[in-house]
Amino acid sequence: AVLDPKTLLENEHLKERAFFREIDQPGLGPVPMGCVLFRMSETPLRSGAAPALGQHAQEVLLDLGFEKDDTVILRERGIA
């Protein structure tokens, strides 16, 4: 079966398994977010808002070898 989002959110089995969690998404407010289908005892559950567009751009560019000054220039020009 392919269920629509409303039916999924109302599904008793998924509610019982705590599949959906409410995440505070900046710009949207609280939204239901599907979690992992299974849980492993040694793997922590990561939850939180999805990153905003470009939120980690500087970190990624620095990891790729760009200098900090270069990342500032790229941001000012609307490239990163």
Side-chain angles (χ1 to χ4, degrees):
V2 178
L3 305 177
D4 62 83
K6 183 178 185 293
T7 305
L8 282 172
L9 288 171
E10 296 170 350
N11 184 285
E12 290 301 319
H13 177 75
L14 295 177
K15 283 182 183 179
E16 183 68 30
R17 303 259 314 140
F19 179 75
F20 291 102
R21 295 184 183 216
E22 204 164 81
I23 305 295
D24 187 29
Q25 182 67 36
L28 293 176
V31 295
M33 183 78 66
C35 293
V36 294
L37 296 174
F38 56 90
R39 294 183 180 93
M40 297 167 57
S41 61
E42 296 180 23
T43 304
L45 182 62
R46 182 179 115 56
S47 63
L53 181 63
Q55 180 176 341
H56 300 108
Q58 183 173 16
E59 180 182 329
V60 171
L61 291 170
L62 292 173
D63 286 348
L64 290 172
F66 283 84
E67 298 293 326
K68 187 171 183 175
D69 292 341
D70 294 332
T71 65
V72 172
I73 293 168
L74 290 171
R75 180 178 297 132
E76 288 172 352
R77 293 181 181 175
I79 297 170

